[in-house]
Amino acid sequence: MGRRSARRRATAEGPASRPGGGRTAEWSACELAEERLQVVIDRSYPMTEIVEAHRHVDAGHKVSNVVIDVSPARDR
């Protein structure tokens, strides 16, 4: 008989967790403010380069978050 590996789903514990195990926006904001949560950004693209951003992700080059800047265009 073969051995089956059991997969476990990581869930949040504590007062800020939801019944389904996910963490709330309030918890995330608190963790960010206290610098206990680190946001990692791979690349940032202006909205005018959305096609290039999708190409980057679709090509498998994404190693963390890709940010799309939707703020109005300014002189950069």
Side-chain angles (χ1 to χ4, degrees):
M1 221 180 215
R3 257 177 118 179
R4 265 181 116 178
S5 64
R7 290 187 178 190
R8 293 185 182 178
R9 184 176 177 189
T11 59
E13 299 293 332
S17 62
R18 290 188 256 161
R23 295 185 171 162
T24 64
E26 181 182 327
W27 177 88
S28 298
C30 180
E31 293 292 299
L32 280 170
E34 294 178 7
E35 297 182 2
R36 292 187 292 185
L37 183 66
Q38 184 177 13
V39 177
V40 181
I41 298 173
D42 178 26
R43 295 219 178 154
S44 180
Y45 294 90
M47 182 60 105
T48 57
E49 295 179 19
I50 190 76
V51 173
E52 288 82 8
H54 275 278
R55 285 185 185 137
H56 176 74
V57 172
D58 293 343
H61 299 298
K62 176 182 167 298
V63 293
S64 60
N65 297 302
V66 173
V67 174
I68 307 300
D69 183 357
V70 295
S71 62
R74 295 177 234 144
D75 293 330
R76 297 179 203 250

